[in-house]
Amino acid sequence: MIVFFKERLAFLSVPKTGTTAYEKALAPRADMVISDPPMLKHAPVYRYNRFVRPMFLKVCDAELELMAVMREPISWLGSWYRYRQRPFMEGKPNNTFGVTFDEFVLAYMKGDKPGFANVGSQLKFMETQPNGTGITHHFRYEDQARLRSFLEERLDVTLSLGQENVSPKMELALSPNVEKRFRRKFAAEFELYESIP
């Protein structure tokens, strides 16, 4: 999470959406950077609303706008699958070695997910809270130009981005049946993604 107080903006860090590169590039410009531990770095809207928002509201009498990046849902799961195949994951309980991408997605669709497929939900991460706290500015991971342009204009900066925390490259494709089931079960994820300009 990166906070820009003067601009009244908090950039929430949805996992596997390239936000670490933005965090690194914008850290010198930010008023607050939470890069560790992961449960705070990747604080979803509900955690922001419960812990961070009250701090700014009570101490600074300020309400911040929230921004977040969403990745196409199948691509997002593919990134998690590949990320958990990094060499240092071998022997760890949540690695995806010996698991096909179809098996990973089928495991993700279960109510009681095995550890290797328990990666959360972008929709749940960005869910608007009962008090109205939600994402003001949504961006697609696949439209980096729009995201970059927004940040450069809003923060009056020129960004120089590197690649950070990159998953291993590999070709991934879901079988038509698994993709159809996934799209049906997680229709709301796709609807949110498609609603982003």
Side-chain angles (χ1 to χ4, degrees):
M1 182 191 308
I2 323 168
V3 173
F4 306 94
F5 182 72
K6 189 177 68 164
E7 290 79 11
R8 300 294 193 269
L9 183 68
F11 189 169
L12 301 191
S13 182
V14 179
K16 307 313 299 160
T17 61
T19 50
T20 303
Y22 283 94
E23 178 191 299
K24 197 162 191 177
L26 289 168
R29 171 68 176 75
D31 296 302
M32 189 169 141
V33 178
I34 303 174
S35 57
D36 228 3
M39 64 278 295
L40 291 180
K41 172 184 177 171
H42 298 297
V45 170
Y46 71 84
R47 198 169 290 144
Y48 170 87
N49 185 50
R50 186 166 175 202
F51 300 107
V52 181
R53 180 179 172 267
M55 176 176 67
F56 283 103
L57 206 53
K58 290 174 183 167
V59 178
C60 309
D61 193 29
E63 189 75 69
L64 308 185
E65 292 180 356
L66 303 182
M67 64 176 287
V69 178
M70 183 178 191
R71 192 169 186 156
E72 189 280 329
I74 295 170
S75 170
W76 185 71
L77 284 183
S79 183
W80 271 114
Y81 173 80
R82 291 181 289 112
Y83 187 71
R84 292 188 165 184
Q85 292 221 344
R86 293 167 302 163
F88 85 85
M89 292 295 293
E90 205 152 355
K92 294 192 176 173
N94 58 349
N95 76 62
T96 53
F97 291 102
V99 177
T100 67
F101 188 43
D102 271 0
E103 289 167 339
F104 177 77
V105 173
L106 287 169
Y108 180 78
M109 287 194 276
K110 291 181 177 177
D112 187 17
K113 298 170 180 47
F116 70 84
N118 192 4
V119 297
S121 156
Q122 295 182 97
L123 183 71
K124 187 77 178 154
F125 185 105
M126 295 185 264
E127 189 175 56
T128 299
Q129 298 305 289
N131 66 357
T133 301
I135 303 298
T136 317
H137 307 282
H138 284 95
F139 297 89
R140 290 185 187 203
Y141 169 83
E142 292 76 8
D143 188 358
Q144 291 293 316
R146 181 174 167 260
L147 170 59
R148 189 176 182 144
S149 172
F150 172 83
L151 286 166
E152 289 187 337
E153 188 177 315
R154 180 83 178 243
L155 305 174
D156 193 25
V157 296
T158 302
L159 285 171
S160 176
L161 297 170
Q163 284 201 317
E164 303 290 331
N165 219 8
V166 180
S167 300
K169 294 204 181 308
M170 63 179 76
E171 285 297 315
L172 292 178
L174 285 178
S175 64
N177 179 48
V178 172
E179 181 172 344
K180 185 178 173 184
R181 286 172 61 190
F182 178 66
R183 285 181 178 276
R184 188 172 59 237
K185 183 162 184 172
F186 292 92
E189 298 262 353
F190 288 94
E191 283 167 22
L192 174 58
Y193 179 77
E194 293 302 328
S195 76
I196 300 169

